[in-house]
Amino acid sequence: MSPKALDAVENEEFNLDTETAGTGPFTLTHWYQGNEAVLTRNADYWGDDVSIETVTFKVVPEELTRIGMVANGEAHVADTISPLNTNQVESTDDVELVSGPSLGMTYLGFNNQHETFADADVRRAISMAIDKEVLLEGILQGNGKLATGPISDLIFGYDEELEGIDYDPEAAASLLQDIGQTDLQFTLWVGDADEVTQQMAVIIQDQLSEVGVHVDIESLEWGTLLDGTANGSHEAMIMSWTAVSGDSDNGLYNPFHSDNWGGSGNRTYYENDEVDELLFHARQETDVNTREQMYHDAQAIIVEEAPMVYLAHQDNIYAKAENVEGLIKMPDNLYRLFVTTVTDDESY
């Protein structure tokens, strides 16, 4: 970070939430929040020459509209394509579908402080009753990987020997009966604009009904969903977490350390003293092997206690015009536009 910018922030002369201070390939020309942001090539950039002069990010909520804008020459790229619309892209002339791995994980999260989910056996039983393979192949259409635990194999600290909770509806029903939870019911929150998680919720609702669990699905506007899960007024929700740093510190500390309850990342309100200690000391440990083992130990506890159902590591999918070359979308969801070129561009 720029020391000069940080001094300006401290003196309330500068706002890093809305203003930029960097040495990257582009500078921020203007930002109409909720509408668009425009970047301009940085003439003083220290790296290799950048081909693109300007980049405009437009907010277009409707996915089919985004795809149509690329097909009609109104845009070069349509970000965040649902697996449900990949066929639409593939059948559109001059538009290319691109899919790659991500650092994200889609999950069904329980509010561990809610009386319904205070017992880890309840959470484990629900985990056993959900067939994640059906979600991956049926809803995501194979665009991703099954999640055994909270982080993928792309992230430092991933434990390839970690054993998850296997799909076993008979064992789930038996466990619920053993603990006296034969009439379990709860409300599951999903975003009203996310068709993928809505369809996941319907399948999960059906699967859990097979073991005697009744689920009510409630669709909420995204901001309302964020606020509700941040203040703990939910019972369960389907959301996702992306370990943007590629490290277990971001992949585990934020969503599982008890200091981060609510909006900081731990929306399941999970708490375990041993996990807290492991995650706290791992972020300070300088020996790589010791640090990695700490994350393995933490994951083993987290998976065993099932504060959430780890559903899938969903792929990043986007559509681009065929005359866009060298565009890279990294697993952290960020585009590397400084190596991108646009050829024979007579539209737009």
Side-chain angles (χ1 to χ4, degrees):
M1 300 290 287
S2 161
K4 182 178 179 180
L6 293 177
D7 287 342
V9 169
E10 189 172 344
N11 295 330
E12 298 184 352
E13 300 167 351
F14 193 73
N15 184 354
L16 277 174
D17 289 335
T18 57
E19 299 176 273
T20 60
T23 61
F26 298 96
T27 61
L28 180 64
T29 304
H30 67 253
W31 178 19
Y32 302 122
Q33 294 188 40
N35 185 20
E36 71 173 27
V38 177
L39 310 180
T40 304
R41 184 169 57 198
N42 183 359
D44 298 320
Y45 179 50
W46 52 268
D48 295 335
D49 291 342
V50 177
S51 172
I52 296 175
E53 292 185 9
T54 61
V55 181
T56 300
F57 290 89
K58 280 188 173 291
V59 178
V60 181
E62 175 53 49
E63 185 175 327
L64 293 179
T65 302
R66 297 199 299 274
I67 296 171
M69 289 174 70
V70 178
N72 297 331
E74 300 174 62
H76 292 93
V77 179
D79 192 28
T80 315
I81 301 300
S82 161
L84 303 174
N85 288 321
T86 54
N87 290 337
Q88 172 81 17
V89 176
E90 290 174 326
S91 64
T92 302
D93 292 338
D94 302 322
V95 179
E96 180 182 348
L97 183 74
V98 185
S99 178
S102 81
L103 300 176
M105 187 266 300
T106 301
Y107 65 88
L108 186 161
F110 309 111
N111 183 343
N112 287 227
Q113 301 304 309
H114 193 280
E115 59 182 2
T116 303
F117 300 113
D119 186 345
D121 278 336
V122 171
R123 307 192 298 263
R124 278 190 283 268
I126 291 175
S127 298
M128 286 188 284
I130 295 175
D131 188 349
K132 296 183 284 188
E133 187 77 43
V134 171
L135 302 179
L136 177 63
E137 298 302 327
I139 305 300
L140 299 182
Q141 298 184 22
N143 290 283
K145 296 177 289 189
L146 292 178
T148 300
I151 60 175
S152 78
D153 57 359
L154 299 177
I155 298 169
F156 173 81
Y158 171 79
D159 184 0
E160 62 182 15
E161 297 181 358
L162 181 68
E163 295 186 5
I165 296 176
D166 293 332
Y167 172 59
D168 190 340
E170 292 184 3
S174 177
L175 178 56
L176 288 171
Q177 185 168 4
D178 289 345
I179 61 177
Q181 293 285 1
T182 54
D183 58 351
L184 186 67
Q185 61 181 50
F186 65 91
T187 299
L188 178 62
W189 286 3
V190 293
D192 63 358
D194 190 338
E195 190 175 355
V196 168
T197 57
Q198 291 202 19
Q199 291 197 20
M200 283 185 171
V202 171
I203 290 178
I204 289 170
Q205 180 186 51
D206 182 61
Q207 291 179 346
L208 292 182
S209 70
E210 297 295 320
V211 297
V213 177
H214 177 78
V215 179
D216 292 311
I217 300 171
E218 187 172 351
S219 297
L220 301 175
E221 185 273 329
W222 182 242
T224 303
L225 177 62
L226 288 178
D227 289 343
T229 54
N231 63 35
S233 58
H234 60 300
E235 294 182 27
M237 75 295 193
I238 297 179
M239 297 185 73
S240 62
W241 179 263
T242 299
V244 292
S245 67
D247 187 274
S248 283
D249 181 58
N250 183 253
L252 299 175
Y253 191 89
N254 288 68
F256 296 106
H257 195 286
S258 62
D259 282 352
N260 295 317
W261 277 8
S264 297
N266 187 348
R267 295 176 188 267
T268 62
Y269 289 78
Y270 173 67
E271 182 176 24
N272 179 286
D273 290 342
E274 187 176 356
V275 169
D276 282 355
E277 285 292 310
L278 285 165
L279 298 181
F280 177 77
H281 290 295
R283 62 181 359 200
Q284 304 172 67
E285 178 58 55
T286 57
D287 182 81
V288 173
N289 293 329
T290 301
R291 187 169 182 265
E292 185 175 40
Q293 186 59 53
M294 288 177 171
Y295 287 131
H296 288 183
D297 294 343
Q299 286 172 80
I301 299 169
I302 291 168
V303 169
E304 172 65 21
E305 295 202 326
M308 58 176 64
V309 184
Y310 319 98
L311 299 175
H313 302 294
Q314 195 169 332
D315 285 347
N316 286 325
I317 309 174
Y318 64 94
K320 73 177 186 67
E322 289 187 342
N323 64 341
V324 176
E325 299 178 356
L327 180 64
I328 299 173
K329 189 175 188 184
M330 300 294 285
D332 61 4
N333 288 344
L334 298 181
Y335 288 100
R336 303 302 191 254
L337 297 167
F338 54 89
V339 294
T340 303
T341 59
V342 179
T343 60
D344 301 323
D345 192 10
E346 298 178 357
S347 303
Y348 314 100

